[in-house]
Amino acid sequence: MNFVEENDVVLIKLNNGEDFVIKIVKDGFLSVPFGTVFFNDLIGKEYGEVINFRGKNRRGYILKNSIVDYIFNLKRKTQVVYPKDVGYSILYLDLKPRDSVLECGTGSGAVTAVLSRAVGKEGRVITYDIDPENSKIAEENLTFIPFYNNVLFKTGNVKDGLKERDMDAFFLDVPDPENSVENAINTLKHSGKICIIAPTFNQVQKVLEKMEKMKNTIDIQVWETMIRNYKINPERLRPEDKMVGHTTFMIFGTKVVWR
Ligand SMILES: C[S@@+](CC[C@H](N)C(=O)[O-])C[C@H]1O[C@@H](n2cnc3c(N)ncnc32)[C@H](O)[C@@H]1O
């Protein structure tokens, strides 16, 4: 269906660059710098249609909410993993429909949403956070994407060990990953893959030392992704003056019986 219905979650993109992810509820409205949008007027519009405001060049568009819009607009209490990083990780972890994946910590649910979509309706995402308040926020955030009900939110400390076994993949994003990596790898099946988020060199070094001692992980790789945006004037095509310098390092590995 390419028409806006009540309870759809949509993206309203203004031509000043601002955007808003909102749920279209009856009698609701959104006040933006250009004026007010009444949701009753949006129901029945085709996605991609223009929303006009009074005044020159004042307009917006009603669009489908993508997973990247979701990540950049979600309610966050924690730092989230950037789309450029989670995108590569999902490919490396080789997630596909029907896979089982563990995540720790849940945080704001940015990665949870991507994992949920990757493993699909018949897959399984189990996500742990030590703080139940974060799990609650993430669960609310996930209602803003078309969502498969394949996510189980759990409260727990990864350092105490996790009871799950034979998982296809693990996504680890906690402040001291070196103290959790062993418990995380223990949950994987042989040939299962792990991605560890580590923003600093010190963390990467400690995780690598730990993996070296464990002797059950091969193909260990450390990656950093960089994206350079371009100014889109075709006659003066050139990179933007500023770019995001650093978000995180990602450490990957594949579990084996013995190395
Ligand atoms: C940076 S956030 C994760 C963000 C998440 N990847 C996202 O993109 O939304 C780190 C999370 O790990 C949780 N955490 C910290 N230590 C933990 C532990 N030992 N066991 C489980 N969760 C932990 C924190 O409560 C926090 O929510």
mmCIF file with all atom_site columns, all heavy atoms in Angstrom, residues 44-69:
data_model
loop_
_atom_site.group_PDB
_atom_site.id
_atom_site.type_symbol
_atom_site.label_atom_id
_atom_site.label_alt_id
_atom_site.label_comp_id
_atom_site.label_asym_id
_atom_site.label_entity_id
_atom_site.label_seq_id
_atom_site.pdbx_PDB_ins_code
_atom_site.Cartn_x
_atom_site.Cartn_y
_atom_site.Cartn_z
_atom_site.occupancy
_atom_site.B_iso_or_equiv
_atom_site.pdbx_formal_charge
_atom_site.auth_seq_id
_atom_site.auth_comp_id
_atom_site.auth_asym_id
_atom_site.auth_atom_id
_atom_site.pdbx_PDB_model_num
ATOM 1   N N   . GLY A 1 44 ? -4.591 9.009  3.826  1.00 0.00 ? 44 GLY A N   1
ATOM 2   C CA  . GLY A 1 44 ? -5.091 8.870  2.447  1.00 0.00 ? 44 GLY A CA  1
ATOM 3   C C   . GLY A 1 44 ? -4.166 9.477  1.414  1.00 0.00 ? 44 GLY A C   1
ATOM 4   O O   . GLY A 1 44 ? -4.306 9.220  0.216  1.00 0.00 ? 44 GLY A O   1
ATOM 5   N N   . LYS A 1 45 ? -3.178 10.283 1.850  1.00 0.00 ? 45 LYS A N   1
ATOM 6   C CA  . LYS A 1 45 ? -2.223 10.844 0.877  1.00 0.00 ? 45 LYS A CA  1
ATOM 7   C C   . LYS A 1 45 ? -1.302 9.745  0.366  1.00 0.00 ? 45 LYS A C   1
ATOM 8   O O   . LYS A 1 45 ? -1.034 8.768  1.084  1.00 0.00 ? 45 LYS A O   1
ATOM 9   C CB  . LYS A 1 45 ? -1.343 11.901 1.572  1.00 0.00 ? 45 LYS A CB  1
ATOM 10  C CG  . LYS A 1 45 ? -1.888 13.320 1.484  1.00 0.00 ? 45 LYS A CG  1
ATOM 11  C CD  . LYS A 1 45 ? -0.824 14.303 1.953  1.00 0.00 ? 45 LYS A CD  1
ATOM 12  C CE  . LYS A 1 45 ? -1.324 15.722 1.991  1.00 0.00 ? 45 LYS A CE  1
ATOM 13  N NZ  . LYS A 1 45 ? -1.348 16.373 0.686  1.00 0.00 ? 45 LYS A NZ  1
ATOM 14  N N   . GLU A 1 46 ? -0.790 9.934  -0.836 1.00 0.00 ? 46 GLU A N   1
ATOM 15  C CA  . GLU A 1 46 ? 0.176  8.962  -1.360 1.00 0.00 ? 46 GLU A CA  1
ATOM 16  C C   . GLU A 1 46 ? 1.558  9.281  -0.782 1.00 0.00 ? 46 GLU A C   1
ATOM 17  O O   . GLU A 1 46 ? 1.922  10.451 -0.632 1.00 0.00 ? 46 GLU A O   1
ATOM 18  C CB  . GLU A 1 46 ? 0.223  9.042  -2.890 1.00 0.00 ? 46 GLU A CB  1
ATOM 19  C CG  . GLU A 1 46 ? 1.089  7.944  -3.481 1.00 0.00 ? 46 GLU A CG  1
ATOM 20  C CD  . GLU A 1 46 ? 1.020  7.876  -4.996 1.00 0.00 ? 46 GLU A CD  1
ATOM 21  O OE1 . GLU A 1 46 ? 0.307  8.696  -5.605 1.00 0.00 ? 46 GLU A OE1 1
ATOM 22  O OE2 . GLU A 1 46 ? 1.702  6.999  -5.552 1.00 0.00 ? 46 GLU A OE2 1
ATOM 23  N N   . TYR A 1 47 ? 2.306  8.224  -0.419 1.00 0.00 ? 47 TYR A N   1
ATOM 24  C CA  . TYR A 1 47 ? 3.679  8.462  0.037  1.00 0.00 ? 47 TYR A CA  1
ATOM 25  C C   . TYR A 1 47 ? 4.456  9.175  -1.062 1.00 0.00 ? 47 TYR A C   1
ATOM 26  O O   . TYR A 1 47 ? 4.329  8.845  -2.241 1.00 0.00 ? 47 TYR A O   1
ATOM 27  C CB  . TYR A 1 47 ? 4.367  7.139  0.391  1.00 0.00 ? 47 TYR A CB  1
ATOM 28  C CG  . TYR A 1 47 ? 3.989  6.649  1.780  1.00 0.00 ? 47 TYR A CG  1
ATOM 29  C CD1 . TYR A 1 47 ? 3.043  5.652  1.956  1.00 0.00 ? 47 TYR A CD1 1
ATOM 30  C CD2 . TYR A 1 47 ? 4.559  7.230  2.901  1.00 0.00 ? 47 TYR A CD2 1
ATOM 31  C CE1 . TYR A 1 47 ? 2.687  5.230  3.226  1.00 0.00 ? 47 TYR A CE1 1
ATOM 32  C CE2 . TYR A 1 47 ? 4.207  6.811  4.178  1.00 0.00 ? 47 TYR A CE2 1
ATOM 33  C CZ  . TYR A 1 47 ? 3.284  5.813  4.344  1.00 0.00 ? 47 TYR A CZ  1
ATOM 34  O OH  . TYR A 1 47 ? 2.935  5.403  5.602  1.00 0.00 ? 47 TYR A OH  1
ATOM 35  N N   . GLY A 1 48 ? 5.256  10.160 -0.675 1.00 0.00 ? 48 GLY A N   1
ATOM 36  C CA  . GLY A 1 48 ? 6.014  10.946 -1.644 1.00 0.00 ? 48 GLY A CA  1
ATOM 37  C C   . GLY A 1 48 ? 5.335  12.270 -1.954 1.00 0.00 ? 48 GLY A C   1
ATOM 38  O O   . GLY A 1 48 ? 5.918  13.118 -2.630 1.00 0.00 ? 48 GLY A O   1
ATOM 39  N N   . GLU A 1 49 ? 4.094  12.438 -1.474 1.00 0.00 ? 49 GLU A N   1
ATOM 40  C CA  . GLU A 1 49 ? 3.376  13.692 -1.769 1.00 0.00 ? 49 GLU A CA  1
ATOM 41  C C   . GLU A 1 49 ? 3.974  14.874 -1.004 1.00 0.00 ? 49 GLU A C   1
ATOM 42  O O   . GLU A 1 49 ? 4.572  14.711 0.060  1.00 0.00 ? 49 GLU A O   1
ATOM 43  C CB  . GLU A 1 49 ? 1.887  13.555 -1.397 1.00 0.00 ? 49 GLU A CB  1
ATOM 44  C CG  . GLU A 1 49 ? 1.054  13.057 -2.577 1.00 0.00 ? 49 GLU A CG  1
ATOM 45  C CD  . GLU A 1 49 ? -0.426 13.292 -2.363 1.00 0.00 ? 49 GLU A CD  1
ATOM 46  O OE1 . GLU A 1 49 ? -0.819 14.429 -2.036 1.00 0.00 ? 49 GLU A OE1 1
ATOM 47  O OE2 . GLU A 1 49 ? -1.189 12.320 -2.525 1.00 0.00 ? 49 GLU A OE2 1
ATOM 48  N N   . VAL A 1 50 ? 3.718  16.051 -1.578 1.00 0.00 ? 50 VAL A N   1
ATOM 49  C CA  . VAL A 1 50 ? 4.225  17.291 -0.980 1.00 0.00 ? 50 VAL A CA  1
ATOM 50  C C   . VAL A 1 50 ? 3.246  17.764 0.090  1.00 0.00 ? 50 VAL A C   1
ATOM 51  O O   . VAL A 1 50 ? 2.032  17.656 -0.084 1.00 0.00 ? 50 VAL A O   1
ATOM 52  C CB  . VAL A 1 50 ? 4.355  18.372 -2.084 1.00 0.00 ? 50 VAL A CB  1
ATOM 53  C CG1 . VAL A 1 50 ? 4.772  19.712 -1.493 1.00 0.00 ? 50 VAL A CG1 1
ATOM 54  C CG2 . VAL A 1 50 ? 5.334  17.912 -3.139 1.00 0.00 ? 50 VAL A CG2 1
ATOM 55  N N   . ILE A 1 51 ? 3.791  18.273 1.195  1.00 0.00 ? 51 ILE A N   1
ATOM 56  C CA  . ILE A 1 51 ? 2.956  18.943 2.198  1.00 0.00 ? 51 ILE A CA  1
ATOM 57  C C   . ILE A 1 51 ? 3.274  20.432 2.057  1.00 0.00 ? 51 ILE A C   1
ATOM 58  O O   . ILE A 1 51 ? 4.432  20.836 2.232  1.00 0.00 ? 51 ILE A O   1
ATOM 59  C CB  . ILE A 1 51 ? 3.314  18.488 3.626  1.00 0.00 ? 51 ILE A CB  1
ATOM 60  C CG1 . ILE A 1 51 ? 3.227  16.966 3.751  1.00 0.00 ? 51 ILE A CG1 1
ATOM 61  C CG2 . ILE A 1 51 ? 2.427  19.164 4.652  1.00 0.00 ? 51 ILE A CG2 1
ATOM 62  C CD1 . ILE A 1 51 ? 3.831  16.443 5.040  1.00 0.00 ? 51 ILE A CD1 1
ATOM 63  N N   . ASN A 1 52 ? 2.272  21.226 1.690  1.00 0.00 ? 52 ASN A N   1
ATOM 64  C CA  . ASN A 1 52 ? 2.527  22.654 1.480  1.00 0.00 ? 52 ASN A CA  1
ATOM 65  C C   . ASN A 1 52 ? 2.261  23.466 2.741  1.00 0.00 ? 52 ASN A C   1
ATOM 66  O O   . ASN A 1 52 ? 1.328  23.190 3.476  1.00 0.00 ? 52 ASN A O   1
ATOM 67  C CB  . ASN A 1 52 ? 1.654  23.178 0.351  1.00 0.00 ? 52 ASN A CB  1
ATOM 68  C CG  . ASN A 1 52 ? 2.208  22.730 -0.993 1.00 0.00 ? 52 ASN A CG  1
ATOM 69  O OD1 . ASN A 1 52 ? 3.389  22.905 -1.266 1.00 0.00 ? 52 ASN A OD1 1
ATOM 70  N ND2 . ASN A 1 52 ? 1.359  22.130 -1.806 1.00 0.00 ? 52 ASN A ND2 1
ATOM 71  N N   . PHE A 1 53 ? 3.086  24.436 2.961  1.00 0.00 ? 53 PHE A N   1
ATOM 72  C CA  . PHE A 1 53 ? 2.879  25.400 4.045  1.00 0.00 ? 53 PHE A CA  1
ATOM 73  C C   . PHE A 1 53 ? 2.735  26.766 3.399  1.00 0.00 ? 53 PHE A C   1
ATOM 74  O O   . PHE A 1 53 ? 3.179  26.961 2.269  1.00 0.00 ? 53 PHE A O   1
ATOM 75  C CB  . PHE A 1 53 ? 4.078  25.397 5.006  1.00 0.00 ? 53 PHE A CB  1
ATOM 76  C CG  . PHE A 1 53 ? 4.281  24.094 5.702  1.00 0.00 ? 53 PHE A CG  1
ATOM 77  C CD1 . PHE A 1 53 ? 5.055  23.099 5.123  1.00 0.00 ? 53 PHE A CD1 1
ATOM 78  C CD2 . PHE A 1 53 ? 3.703  23.853 6.934  1.00 0.00 ? 53 PHE A CD2 1
ATOM 79  C CE1 . PHE A 1 53 ? 5.247  21.883 5.758  1.00 0.00 ? 53 PHE A CE1 1
ATOM 80  C CE2 . PHE A 1 53 ? 3.890  22.642 7.571  1.00 0.00 ? 53 PHE A CE2 1
ATOM 81  C CZ  . PHE A 1 53 ? 4.664  21.659 6.982  1.00 0.00 ? 53 PHE A CZ  1
ATOM 82  N N   . ARG A 1 54 ? 2.150  27.706 4.133  1.00 0.00 ? 54 ARG A N   1
ATOM 83  C CA  . ARG A 1 54 ? 2.022  29.041 3.563  1.00 0.00 ? 54 ARG A CA  1
ATOM 84  C C   . ARG A 1 54 ? 3.415  29.662 3.416  1.00 0.00 ? 54 ARG A C   1
ATOM 85  O O   . ARG A 1 54 ? 4.280  29.428 4.248  1.00 0.00 ? 54 ARG A O   1
ATOM 86  C CB  . ARG A 1 54 ? 1.152  29.918 4.461  1.00 0.00 ? 54 ARG A CB  1
ATOM 87  C CG  . ARG A 1 54 ? -0.304 29.889 4.017  1.00 0.00 ? 54 ARG A CG  1
ATOM 88  C CD  . ARG A 1 54 ? -1.167 30.614 4.991  1.00 0.00 ? 54 ARG A CD  1
ATOM 89  N NE  . ARG A 1 54 ? -1.303 29.852 6.215  1.00 0.00 ? 54 ARG A NE  1
ATOM 90  C CZ  . ARG A 1 54 ? -1.535 30.384 7.401  1.00 0.00 ? 54 ARG A CZ  1
ATOM 91  N NH1 . ARG A 1 54 ? -1.643 31.671 7.546  1.00 0.00 ? 54 ARG A NH1 1
ATOM 92  N NH2 . ARG A 1 54 ? -1.642 29.630 8.476  1.00 0.00 ? 54 ARG A NH2 1
ATOM 93  N N   . GLY A 1 55 ? 3.631  30.419 2.364  1.00 0.00 ? 55 GLY A N   1
ATOM 94  C CA  . GLY A 1 55 ? 4.912  31.107 2.211  1.00 0.00 ? 55 GLY A CA  1
ATOM 95  C C   . GLY A 1 55 ? 5.770  30.440 1.166  1.00 0.00 ? 55 GLY A C   1
ATOM 96  O O   . GLY A 1 55 ? 5.621  29.264 0.859  1.00 0.00 ? 55 GLY A O   1
ATOM 97  N N   . LYS A 1 56 ? 6.698  31.220 0.615  1.00 0.00 ? 56 LYS A N   1
ATOM 98  C CA  . LYS A 1 56 ? 7.552  30.768 -0.477 1.00 0.00 ? 56 LYS A CA  1
ATOM 99  C C   . LYS A 1 56 ? 8.511  29.665 -0.005 1.00 0.00 ? 56 LYS A C   1
ATOM 100 O O   . LYS A 1 56 ? 9.095  29.774 1.074  1.00 0.00 ? 56 LYS A O   1
ATOM 101 C CB  . LYS A 1 56 ? 8.375  31.976 -0.927 1.00 0.00 ? 56 LYS A CB  1
ATOM 102 C CG  . LYS A 1 56 ? 8.639  32.035 -2.389 1.00 0.00 ? 56 LYS A CG  1
ATOM 103 C CD  . LYS A 1 56 ? 9.349  33.335 -2.684 1.00 0.00 ? 56 LYS A CD  1
ATOM 104 C CE  . LYS A 1 56 ? 10.081 33.214 -3.986 1.00 0.00 ? 56 LYS A CE  1
ATOM 105 N NZ  . LYS A 1 56 ? 11.039 34.285 -4.128 1.00 0.00 ? 56 LYS A NZ  1
ATOM 106 N N   . ASN A 1 57 ? 8.654  28.647 -0.830 1.00 0.00 ? 57 ASN A N   1
ATOM 107 C CA  . ASN A 1 57 ? 9.614  27.584 -0.547 1.00 0.00 ? 57 ASN A CA  1
ATOM 108 C C   . ASN A 1 57 ? 9.397  26.858 0.773  1.00 0.00 ? 57 ASN A C   1
ATOM 109 O O   . ASN A 1 57 ? 10.314 26.275 1.316  1.00 0.00 ? 57 ASN A O   1
ATOM 110 C CB  . ASN A 1 57 ? 11.052 28.132 -0.558 1.00 0.00 ? 57 ASN A CB  1
ATOM 111 C CG  . ASN A 1 57 ? 11.537 28.347 -1.951 1.00 0.00 ? 57 ASN A CG  1
ATOM 112 O OD1 . ASN A 1 57 ? 11.074 27.672 -2.875 1.00 0.00 ? 57 ASN A OD1 1
ATOM 113 N ND2 . ASN A 1 57 ? 12.411 29.304 -2.127 1.00 0.00 ? 57 ASN A ND2 1
ATOM 114 N N   . ARG A 1 58 ? 8.204  26.977 1.309  1.00 0.00 ? 58 ARG A N   1
ATOM 115 C CA  . ARG A 1 58 ? 7.936  26.286 2.569  1.00 0.00 ? 58 ARG A CA  1
ATOM 116 C C   . ARG A 1 58 ? 7.206  24.995 2.256  1.00 0.00 ? 58 ARG A C   1
ATOM 117 O O   . ARG A 1 58 ? 6.018  25.028 1.934  1.00 0.00 ? 58 ARG A O   1
ATOM 118 C CB  . ARG A 1 58 ? 7.072  27.160 3.495  1.00 0.00 ? 58 ARG A CB  1
ATOM 119 C CG  . ARG A 1 58 ? 7.684  28.500 3.824  1.00 0.00 ? 58 ARG A CG  1
ATOM 120 C CD  . ARG A 1 58 ? 8.826  28.258 4.799  1.00 0.00 ? 58 ARG A CD  1
ATOM 121 N NE  . ARG A 1 58 ? 9.608  29.456 4.978  1.00 0.00 ? 58 ARG A NE  1
ATOM 122 C CZ  . ARG A 1 58 ? 9.461  30.296 5.984  1.00 0.00 ? 58 ARG A CZ  1
ATOM 123 N NH1 . ARG A 1 58 ? 8.536  30.086 6.880  1.00 0.00 ? 58 ARG A NH1 1
ATOM 124 N NH2 . ARG A 1 58 ? 10.254 31.339 6.101  1.00 0.00 ? 58 ARG A NH2 1
ATOM 125 N N   . ARG A 1 59 ? 7.911  23.881 2.276  1.00 0.00 ? 59 ARG A N   1
ATOM 126 C CA  . ARG A 1 59 ? 7.212  22.626 2.020  1.00 0.00 ? 59 ARG A CA  1
ATOM 127 C C   . ARG A 1 59 ? 7.931  21.452 2.679  1.00 0.00 ? 59 ARG A C   1
ATOM 128 O O   . ARG A 1 59 ? 9.060  21.561 3.165  1.00 0.00 ? 59 ARG A O   1
ATOM 129 C CB  . ARG A 1 59 ? 7.030  22.383 0.526  1.00 0.00 ? 59 ARG A CB  1
ATOM 130 C CG  . ARG A 1 59 ? 8.297  22.199 -0.240 1.00 0.00 ? 59 ARG A CG  1
ATOM 131 C CD  . ARG A 1 59 ? 8.006  21.909 -1.710 1.00 0.00 ? 59 ARG A CD  1
ATOM 132 N NE  . ARG A 1 59 ? 9.211  21.496 -2.367 1.00 0.00 ? 59 ARG A NE  1
ATOM 133 C CZ  . ARG A 1 59 ? 10.112 22.333 -2.857 1.00 0.00 ? 59 ARG A CZ  1
ATOM 134 N NH1 . ARG A 1 59 ? 9.937  23.642 -2.766 1.00 0.00 ? 59 ARG A NH1 1
ATOM 135 N NH2 . ARG A 1 59 ? 11.208 21.883 -3.423 1.00 0.00 ? 59 ARG A NH2 1
ATOM 136 N N   . GLY A 1 60 ? 7.197  20.340 2.700  1.00 0.00 ? 60 GLY A N   1
ATOM 137 C CA  . GLY A 1 60 ? 7.757  19.104 3.236  1.00 0.00 ? 60 GLY A CA  1
ATOM 138 C C   . GLY A 1 60 ? 7.252  17.948 2.388  1.00 0.00 ? 60 GLY A C   1
ATOM 139 O O   . GLY A 1 60 ? 6.480  18.143 1.451  1.00 0.00 ? 60 GLY A O   1
ATOM 140 N N   . TYR A 1 61 ? 7.722  16.759 2.721  1.00 0.00 ? 61 TYR A N   1
ATOM 141 C CA  . TYR A 1 61 ? 7.289  15.549 2.006  1.00 0.00 ? 61 TYR A CA  1
ATOM 142 C C   . TYR A 1 61 ? 6.898  14.509 3.025  1.00 0.00 ? 61 TYR A C   1
ATOM 143 O O   . TYR A 1 61 ? 7.499  14.432 4.101  1.00 0.00 ? 61 TYR A O   1
ATOM 144 C CB  . TYR A 1 61 ? 8.433  14.995 1.141  1.00 0.00 ? 61 TYR A CB  1
ATOM 145 C CG  . TYR A 1 61 ? 8.876  15.966 0.084  1.00 0.00 ? 61 TYR A CG  1
ATOM 146 C CD1 . TYR A 1 61 ? 9.889  16.881 0.346  1.00 0.00 ? 61 TYR A CD1 1
ATOM 147 C CD2 . TYR A 1 61 ? 8.250  15.993 -1.157 1.00 0.00 ? 61 TYR A CD2 1
ATOM 148 C CE1 . TYR A 1 61 ? 10.273 17.805 -0.609 1.00 0.00 ? 61 TYR A CE1 1
ATOM 149 C CE2 . TYR A 1 61 ? 8.636  16.912 -2.122 1.00 0.00 ? 61 TYR A CE2 1
ATOM 150 C CZ  . TYR A 1 61 ? 9.642  17.813 -1.844 1.00 0.00 ? 61 TYR A CZ  1
ATOM 151 O OH  . TYR A 1 61 ? 10.013 18.725 -2.778 1.00 0.00 ? 61 TYR A OH  1
ATOM 152 N N   . ILE A 1 62 ? 5.913  13.705 2.667  1.00 0.00 ? 62 ILE A N   1
ATOM 153 C CA  . ILE A 1 62 ? 5.571  12.580 3.534  1.00 0.00 ? 62 ILE A CA  1
ATOM 154 C C   . ILE A 1 62 ? 6.140  11.318 2.896  1.00 0.00 ? 62 ILE A C   1
ATOM 155 O O   . ILE A 1 62 ? 5.852  11.012 1.735  1.00 0.00 ? 62 ILE A O   1
ATOM 156 C CB  . ILE A 1 62 ? 4.057  12.506 3.819  1.00 0.00 ? 62 ILE A CB  1
ATOM 157 C CG1 . ILE A 1 62 ? 3.792  11.375 4.801  1.00 0.00 ? 62 ILE A CG1 1
ATOM 158 C CG2 . ILE A 1 62 ? 3.198  12.352 2.564  1.00 0.00 ? 62 ILE A CG2 1
ATOM 159 C CD1 . ILE A 1 62 ? 2.546  11.574 5.620  1.00 0.00 ? 62 ILE A CD1 1
ATOM 160 N N   . LEU A 1 63 ? 6.997  10.638 3.652  1.00 0.00 ? 63 LEU A N   1
ATOM 161 C CA  . LEU A 1 63 ? 7.750  9.509  3.110  1.00 0.00 ? 63 LEU A CA  1
ATOM 162 C C   . LEU A 1 63 ? 7.650  8.303  4.026  1.00 0.00 ? 63 LEU A C   1
ATOM 163 O O   . LEU A 1 63 ? 7.281  8.425  5.203  1.00 0.00 ? 63 LEU A O   1
ATOM 164 C CB  . LEU A 1 63 ? 9.239  9.895  2.982  1.00 0.00 ? 63 LEU A CB  1
ATOM 165 C CG  . LEU A 1 63 ? 9.550  11.116 2.133  1.00 0.00 ? 63 LEU A CG  1
ATOM 166 C CD1 . LEU A 1 63 ? 11.003 11.522 2.303  1.00 0.00 ? 63 LEU A CD1 1
ATOM 167 C CD2 . LEU A 1 63 ? 9.254  10.836 0.662  1.00 0.00 ? 63 LEU A CD2 1
ATOM 168 N N   . LYS A 1 64 ? 8.033  7.139  3.499  1.00 0.00 ? 64 LYS A N   1
ATOM 169 C CA  . LYS A 1 64 ? 8.114  5.942  4.349  1.00 0.00 ? 64 LYS A CA  1
ATOM 170 C C   . LYS A 1 64 ? 9.319  6.098  5.277  1.00 0.00 ? 64 LYS A C   1
ATOM 171 O O   . LYS A 1 64 ? 10.327 6.689  4.904  1.00 0.00 ? 64 LYS A O   1
ATOM 172 C CB  . LYS A 1 64 ? 8.259  4.699  3.491  1.00 0.00 ? 64 LYS A CB  1
ATOM 173 C CG  . LYS A 1 64 ? 7.040  4.524  2.593  1.00 0.00 ? 64 LYS A CG  1
ATOM 174 C CD  . LYS A 1 64 ? 6.622  3.098  2.437  1.00 0.00 ? 64 LYS A CD  1
ATOM 175 C CE  . LYS A 1 64 ? 5.250  3.091  1.788  1.00 0.00 ? 64 LYS A CE  1
ATOM 176 N NZ  . LYS A 1 64 ? 4.718  1.806  1.471  1.00 0.00 ? 64 LYS A NZ  1
ATOM 177 N N   . ASN A 1 65 ? 9.176  5.558  6.468  1.00 0.00 ? 65 ASN A N   1
ATOM 178 C CA  . ASN A 1 65 ? 10.230 5.635  7.476  1.00 0.00 ? 65 ASN A CA  1
ATOM 179 C C   . ASN A 1 65 ? 11.227 4.509  7.232  1.00 0.00 ? 65 ASN A C   1
ATOM 180 O O   . ASN A 1 65 ? 10.876 3.348  7.377  1.00 0.00 ? 65 ASN A O   1
ATOM 181 C CB  . ASN A 1 65 ? 9.536  5.493  8.843  1.00 0.00 ? 65 ASN A CB  1
ATOM 182 C CG  . ASN A 1 65 ? 10.502 5.403  9.982  1.00 0.00 ? 65 ASN A CG  1
ATOM 183 O OD1 . ASN A 1 65 ? 11.540 6.048  9.975  1.00 0.00 ? 65 ASN A OD1 1
ATOM 184 N ND2 . ASN A 1 65 ? 10.153 4.608  10.977 1.00 0.00 ? 65 ASN A ND2 1
ATOM 185 N N   . SER A 1 66 ? 12.461 4.849  6.865  1.00 0.00 ? 66 SER A N   1
ATOM 186 C CA  . SER A 1 66 ? 13.456 3.794  6.627  1.00 0.00 ? 66 SER A CA  1
ATOM 187 C C   . SER A 1 66 ? 14.158 3.450  7.935  1.00 0.00 ? 66 SER A C   1
ATOM 188 O O   . SER A 1 66 ? 14.059 4.179  8.915  1.00 0.00 ? 66 SER A O   1
ATOM 189 C CB  . SER A 1 66 ? 14.492 4.270  5.603  1.00 0.00 ? 66 SER A CB  1
ATOM 190 O OG  . SER A 1 66 ? 15.382 5.164  6.242  1.00 0.00 ? 66 SER A OG  1
ATOM 191 N N   . ILE A 1 67 ? 14.928 2.368  7.906  1.00 0.00 ? 67 ILE A N   1
ATOM 192 C CA  . ILE A 1 67 ? 15.611 1.954  9.137  1.00 0.00 ? 67 ILE A CA  1
ATOM 193 C C   . ILE A 1 67 ? 16.703 2.965  9.519  1.00 0.00 ? 67 ILE A C   1
ATOM 194 O O   . ILE A 1 67 ? 16.987 3.171  10.692 1.00 0.00 ? 67 ILE A O   1
ATOM 195 C CB  . ILE A 1 67 ? 16.139 0.503  9.014  1.00 0.00 ? 67 ILE A CB  1
ATOM 196 C CG1 . ILE A 1 67 ? 16.301 -0.099 10.405 1.00 0.00 ? 67 ILE A CG1 1
ATOM 197 C CG2 . ILE A 1 67 ? 17.398 0.413  8.220  1.00 0.00 ? 67 ILE A CG2 1
ATOM 198 C CD1 . ILE A 1 67 ? 15.981 -1.547 10.485 1.00 0.00 ? 67 ILE A CD1 1
ATOM 199 N N   . VAL A 1 68 ? 17.279 3.647  8.542  1.00 0.00 ? 68 VAL A N   1
ATOM 200 C CA  . VAL A 1 68 ? 18.273 4.678  8.846  1.00 0.00 ? 68 VAL A CA  1
ATOM 201 C C   . VAL A 1 68 ? 17.585 5.889  9.501  1.00 0.00 ? 68 VAL A C   1
ATOM 202 O O   . VAL A 1 68 ? 18.088 6.452  10.482 1.00 0.00 ? 68 VAL A O   1
ATOM 203 C CB  . VAL A 1 68 ? 19.064 5.083  7.577  1.00 0.00 ? 68 VAL A CB  1
ATOM 204 C CG1 . VAL A 1 68 ? 19.958 6.280  7.847  1.00 0.00 ? 68 VAL A CG1 1
ATOM 205 C CG2 . VAL A 1 68 ? 19.890 3.922  7.081  1.00 0.00 ? 68 VAL A CG2 1
ATOM 206 N N   . ASP A 1 69 ? 16.404 6.274  8.982  1.00 0.00 ? 69 ASP A N   1
ATOM 207 C CA  . ASP A 1 69 ? 15.640 7.361  9.630  1.00 0.00 ? 69 ASP A CA  1
ATOM 208 C C   . ASP A 1 69 ? 15.334 6.978  11.069 1.00 0.00 ? 69 ASP A C   1
ATOM 209 O O   . ASP A 1 69 ? 15.413 7.794  11.986 1.00 0.00 ? 69 ASP A O   1
ATOM 210 C CB  . ASP A 1 69 ? 14.308 7.614  8.907  1.00 0.00 ? 69 ASP A CB  1
ATOM 211 C CG  . ASP A 1 69 ? 14.502 7.959  7.445  1.00 0.00 ? 69 ASP A CG  1
ATOM 212 O OD1 . ASP A 1 69 ? 15.449 8.699  7.156  1.00 0.00 ? 69 ASP A OD1 1
ATOM 213 O OD2 . ASP A 1 69 ? 13.720 7.472  6.607  1.00 0.00 ? 69 ASP A OD2 1
#
